[in-house]
């Protein structure tokens, strides 16, 4: 008997993303009366094997989403709500992968670097490309523990980091690209620098900041910023969604005051991978919604007090993004495509 995979996709309008606050989890999306499943069956005779699911229409989630910046963005619409992969055969399916238009194969650290730095060869270009990739894939929030110090958990599960997490992530990505990072020493903030062209350079993927030196060409190091705070004051901080504000820029500049020795990096923090095997009868579902669950290691703050780092774990669970095409291991594949909502029917 030949092994089979089943992939299910359901369509629904998506609501806006929200930060990982401590409290009631986001409710799962409700089915629409016109939701229906469309199936595709494919026989897989070798490993690896790739097959495609075409999502028709001219409207997608990216074009109806707010620009990604420092804060949580609003997702106006999403043609996929979930992707289900099920092994309905008799042989294990190893390492099923889901890829969207050649992107989002974030199964290993090396896969992430390969996508982020694709087409770039110089250390400077690789460093900048990885920074650009990171600041466009996350927003500023946390789980109140070290879950978000791992690149693959952030990109495949949580989708957010605080500065302390983000400095660890870009540290790992630069290392995986063959670059040399160095930890920064701001006050009340965490950053990593990267070495190329004979010096270190600060690229802050949490606050969306690069500061140019006085030549208006070279990206400055933390040392340069400590000597010249105007390099930050003349730079827009906190991303495209933040209004221009002199006070905010001056605050960001004030974080850089350390004049001591600079050495070391943030170690290696990414130990996770997305490798998995689906045994006969097992399935995995990737969803946009929270399914009524969230993960946080924090506790709900007392009335009138801000949320702080907590001591007890709350409800566990996390959501993963959905996609439109897939790459699977050696098996026979049957896939379900989404119905085509009227907004995408052209």
């Amino acid at each position: 008997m030949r092994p089979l995979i089943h992939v299910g996709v359901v369509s629904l309008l998506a609501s806006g993303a929200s930060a990982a606050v401590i409290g009631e989890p986001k409710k799962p999306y409700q089915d629409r009366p016109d939701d229906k499943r469309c199936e595709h069956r494919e026989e897989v005779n070798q490993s690896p094997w790739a097959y495609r699911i075409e999502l028709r229409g001219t409207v997608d989630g990216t074009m109806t989403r707010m620009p990604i910046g420092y804060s949580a963005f609003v997702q106006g619409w999403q043609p996929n709500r979930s992707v289900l992969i099920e092994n309905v055969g008799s042989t294990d399916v190893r390492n099923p992968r889901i890829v969207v238009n050649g992107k989002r194969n974030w199964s290993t650290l090396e896969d992430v670097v390969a996508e982020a730095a694709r087409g770039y060869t110089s250390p400077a270009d690789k460093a900048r490309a990885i920074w650009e990739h990171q600041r466009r894939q996350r927003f500023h929030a946390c789980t109140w523990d070290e879950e978000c110090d791992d690149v693959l958990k952030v990109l495949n599960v949580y989708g957010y980091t605080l500065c302390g997490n983000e400095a660890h992530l870009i540290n790992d990505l630069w290392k995986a690209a063959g670059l040399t990072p160095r930890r920064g020493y701001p006050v009340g903030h965490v950053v990593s620098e990267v070495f190329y062209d004979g010096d270190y350079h600060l690229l802050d993927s949490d606050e969306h900041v690069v500061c140019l030196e006085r030549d208006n060409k070279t990206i400055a190091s933390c040392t340069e910023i400590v000597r010249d705070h105007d390099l930050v004051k003349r730079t827009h901080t906190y991303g495209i969604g933040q209004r221009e504000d002199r006070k905010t820029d001056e605050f960001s500049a004030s974080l850089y005051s350390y004049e001591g020795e600079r050495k070391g990096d943030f170690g290696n923090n990414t130990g996770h991978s997305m490798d998995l095997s689906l045994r006969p009868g097992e399935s995995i579902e990737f969803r946009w919604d929270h399914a009524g669950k969230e993960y946080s290691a924090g506790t709900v703050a007392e009335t009138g007090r801000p949320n702080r780092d907590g001591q007890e774990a709350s409800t566990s669970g996390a959501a993963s993004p959905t996609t439109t095409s897939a790459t699977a291991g050696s098996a026979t594949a049957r896939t379900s495509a989404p119905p085509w909502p009227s907004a995408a029917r052209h």
Side-chain angles (χ1 to χ4, degrees), residues 65-313:
R65 181 193 66 208
M66 288 177 58
I68 295 179
Y70 182 77
S71 301
F73 56 89
V74 174
Q75 181 77 49
W77 186 78
Q78 177 54 239
N80 273 353
R81 191 180 73 183
S82 67
V83 175
L84 175 71
I85 304 175
E86 181 182 7
N87 184 353
V88 296
S90 58
T91 303
D92 288 0
V93 176
R94 298 182 300 277
N95 302 330
R97 304 288 193 235
I98 301 177
V99 183
V100 182
N101 298 329
K103 299 180 180 180
R104 293 182 178 267
N105 179 18
W106 298 334
S107 304
T108 67
L109 190 61
E110 291 71 25
D111 290 333
V112 177
V113 170
E115 177 181 321
R118 185 179 298 155
Y120 298 102
T121 57
S122 73
D125 287 344
K126 287 182 179 179
R128 176 67 182 267
I130 290 171
W131 174 77
E132 293 281 3
H133 179 271
Q134 275 303 107
R135 73 189 187 96
R136 287 180 165 86
Q137 308 299 340
R138 41 78 64 191
F139 59 88
H140 188 83
C142 73
T143 57
W144 304 103
D145 61 9
E146 296 179 352
E147 275 288 286
C148 292
D149 283 352
D150 188 297
V151 171
L152 298 180
K153 288 184 179 182
V154 168
L155 293 181
N156 289 288
V157 180
Y158 297 109
Y160 47 76
T161 57
L162 287 191
C163 59
N165 312 122
E166 188 59 27
H168 288 77
L169 265 59
I170 201 164
N171 170 93
D172 286 4
L173 289 167
W174 281 332
K175 278 187 173 181
L179 304 173
T180 302
R182 183 176 72 179
R183 62 174 300 169
Y185 293 86
V187 178
H189 187 38
V190 187
V191 297
S192 285
E193 301 179 277
V194 61
F195 187 86
Y196 61 82
D197 293 345
D199 201 355
Y200 283 92
H201 307 269
L202 171 64
L203 292 88
D204 183 350
S205 47
D206 173 54
E207 294 189 2
H208 294 239
V209 171
V210 291
C211 302
L212 297 182
E213 295 182 7
R214 291 290 176 169
D215 64 3
N216 291 324
K217 296 179 181 179
T218 307
I219 297 177
S221 66
C222 287
T223 302
E224 293 288 341
I225 292 171
V226 169
R227 287 199 296 257
D228 188 354
H229 278 187
D230 282 344
L231 300 183
V232 178
K233 293 176 184 178
R234 66 178 187 162
T235 300
H236 184 75
T237 57
Y238 292 95
I240 193 171
Q242 176 72 24
R243 66 183 177 87
E244 190 66 32
D245 185 78
R246 176 71 175 186
K247 182 179 179 180
T248 299
D249 296 337
E250 289 186 354
F251 165 78
S252 295
S254 73
L255 305 179
Y256 294 88
S257 59
Y258 178 76
E259 296 181 327
E261 182 182 11
R262 298 179 180 275
K263 63 179 181 180
D265 56 37
F266 287 106
N268 298 294
N269 311 279
T270 301
H272 193 65
S273 79
M274 297 302 292
D275 290 348
L276 60 93
S277 292
L278 293 179
R279 294 171 295 187
E282 290 184 331
S283 64
I284 182 171
E285 185 176 18
F286 301 88
R287 302 183 62 88
W288 269 105
D289 63 3
H290 288 209
K293 301 178 180 180
E294 70 175 355
Y295 171 78
S296 175
T299 54
V300 178
E302 296 178 12
T303 303
R305 293 181 175 272
N307 286 335
R308 299 291 185 183
D309 196 356
Q311 301 298 321
E312 301 176 3

